Structures are given as C-alpha cells and as structure tokens.
Amino acid sequence: LNSDIQMQLDVCTGYDTEWKKAREALDITIDWTRRAKRAWLETKDEYQGKLFGIVQGNFYHDLRKESVDALLEIDTPGIAIGGLSVGEPQEIYREFLESTAELLPDDKPRYVMGIGTPDYILDAVYHGIDIFDCVLPTRNARNGSLFTRDGQLSIKRESNTRDFGPIDPSCTCRVCRDYSRAYLRHLYVSRELSYFRLATIHNLYFMLRFMEEVRESIRGGRFLQLKARWLGGN
C-alpha cells in the first residue's frame, strides 16, 4: 500500500474492562509490537512509511505506564495513544489523555486514535498531540449530522424544510455556497445518493479548516484563545 504510517495490531479493550483482562490484552499488544517492528525492519529500503506503536492498558495508570515503557524499549518511529474514546466519560478521557501524554517522549510524533470532534481534538492538542484519525466526520455526514461552528446540525429535522440558508454561514466550502439546508434535507429524506457526497464534502472541509485554524493559532501563540472560543471558556 506504500502508506506513510503503518500501525501495529493491538487489542483495544472497552471501558470498564477488569484489570486482569486489560493486562492480558496489553501483553498481546506488546508482543504484536515487537513482531511488527521486526517485520518493519525487514521491509525493502524504498518503503519509507513509519511504524507507530500503540499505547494500550485500558483505564489503569500502571498498565498505561508499562505500555509506554515497552514502546520506548522497542523504539518505534512514532507513538499512538489507543484505547480512548471507547465509551468512557469525557472527564476520564481527559485524565488518561493527559497522564499518558506526559509519559511520551518529545522527539517522536504523537497520535491519538479515534477522536474526531473539535472538543476532543482541542484537549489532545493542548497536551501535545500531533495527529488524529476518526470516521466521525464521514459517518456523521451519512447519518444526517453536519458540523457547524455552533455544534452539530441534524439535517433531518423538519425545521430545515424551508430553511434556505447554508449549513454553516461561516463555511466557504462549495456545499455551503451552492446548496441550502432545505435542499440537503430534501436529498436526505429522499435518500438521494448526492446527499451523502455533499454532506461528506462539507464535514471533511469543516475539519480541514478547523485543523488549519489550530495550526495557525499555535504558530501565532493564540492556541489557548482559540481553545477557549471553541469550548466556551472550558
């Protein structure tokens, strides 16, 4: 596939998994990391993709630390934080994001798996995370949920039937320029395939612009102001 990043296999346990089961899952994950590193080293020199190991350990601080220690010993080019946003309360997510990020070295790119909304991303950036991935923008689009600066808009609501404004007045994507909420709702309730394409374009564009704003705010020393503006001062 010649991907830029390749992830090891891992076992991601759900919230409220007991310690013993989380311990067993972590042992498997660490073993897979070692095997992935050996396979990565054996790939042809022309392949330049980087292997990322994945921190697991569920919501147990001792297991998380053990996972990070193992990754540092194995020495993958990048490190991903896994096992978050799996049904835990947001305050637990924040606690384990912060405690895990504090254990990571500064000289490797940091990646959080499976977070895709501005509030979760801003918390992660605040703790030094560089890269994210999530199906949320495309999955939400398919299910009628569109991203706006005022939160997510449910296009299926009857109140959009005669709303001829754009999805998000501040958005400059071609969907917001050329199509109204009313038209997109018509496409959605009619199950027209063009709805899924247009909604996906909007949500991806929204996230791309959001991340551009994040990068610009970091360069300009304004990240905390941006975070407060998006999160309402939290």
Side-chain angles (χ1 to χ4, degrees), residues 91-185:
E91 61 270 19
I92 299 296
Y93 158 79
R94 287 172 170 166
E95 174 190 344
F96 278 84
L97 170 67
E98 179 178 4
S99 62
T100 306
E102 288 176 348
L103 301 172
L104 302 183
D106 294 330
D107 60 348
K108 294 179 184 289
R110 303 171 174 197
Y111 173 18
V112 172
M113 308 176 69
I115 61 172
T117 55
D119 53 344
Y120 276 70
I121 289 174
L122 287 167
D123 278 334
V125 171
Y126 179 74
H127 292 295
I129 304 303
D130 306 296
I131 309 170
F132 319 90
D133 82 300
C134 191
V135 301
L136 199 65
T138 52
R139 185 177 63 195
N140 281 21
R142 294 193 302 272
N143 288 295
S145 184
L146 303 174
F147 290 172
T148 79
R149 286 185 175 269
D150 296 322
Q152 296 197 43
L153 168 72
S154 177
I155 200 67
K156 65 187 78 172
R157 289 181 179 170
E158 191 172 351
S159 59
N160 293 311
T161 303
R162 295 188 178 277
D163 187 337
F164 298 103
I167 299 168
D168 184 343
S170 65
C171 181
T172 58
C173 76
R174 70 179 182 87
V175 180
C176 286
R177 289 198 313 265
D178 297 341
Y179 303 98
S180 67
R181 294 183 180 189
Y183 182 65
L184 290 167
R185 182 183 185 277

Side-chain angles (χ1 to χ4, degrees), residues 178-197:
D178 297 341
Y179 303 98
S180 67
R181 294 183 180 189
Y183 182 65
L184 290 167
R185 182 183 185 277
H186 158 70
L187 294 178
Y188 180 83
V189 299
S190 301
R191 310 307 289 172
E192 289 281 355
L193 294 182
S194 55
Y195 164 78
F196 303 101
R197 177 180 176 84

